[in-house]
Amino acid sequence: MTPTSDRVDNLTSQWEAERPDLDVSPMQVIGRLHRLADHLREELLAVYRRYGLGEGEFDILAALRRAGEPFAAAPGELARHTMVTSGAVTKRVDRLLASGLVVRDDDADDGRARVIRLTPAGRRVIDEAFTAHIANEQRLLAGLDADQRRALEALLRTWGASLGV
């Protein structure tokens, strides 16, 4: 069932009345995306917290797990795969080290370099957390049928490319 009016409609109507000289129609898209993004982020964080993780820790563990055996990567590589600074990676890795989910090892190819590696406990946590994460994302998208999801994916991909993101 599609709602006939929502909070964004109300805000837009108010602006149209106060500023009829402006086309406030972009708020119909941006406002809804902003509200959805806030809601989705909270729903995702709730799952990560069940596994003792924050968003950053989940990202690091997921990047290591996606790398495949031996589930290791250099800090700089993790920064590229998580789109955060190397300083942010260091803080996240330090928290994961303290919880026993990763270790720092010497790089087999370069004895001067270090890599971050999943521990068996880290692999178990990310496998369980990722399974719950995907189930959560399925739940969050349940209001859209397959055709709507594909259309939304295509629109977001096109829009993102036009913005360079």
Side-chain angles (χ1 to χ4, degrees), residues 20-21 23 25 27 36-37 63 65-66 85 95 104 123 130 140 164:
D21 58 311
D23 174 11
S25 64
M27 292 176 66
L36 278 167
R65 182 64 173 93
R66 285 191 317 266
T85 66
R95 287 192 293 264
R104 280 193 180 103
R123 182 172 177 182
F130 186 70
L140 292 167

Side-chain angles (χ1 to χ4, degrees), residues 61 65 99-102 118-128:
L61 293 176
R65 182 64 173 93
S99 63
L101 300 178
V102 300
L118 278 178
T119 64
R123 182 172 177 182
R124 274 191 309 278
V125 167
I126 192 56
D127 282 349
E128 290 175 19

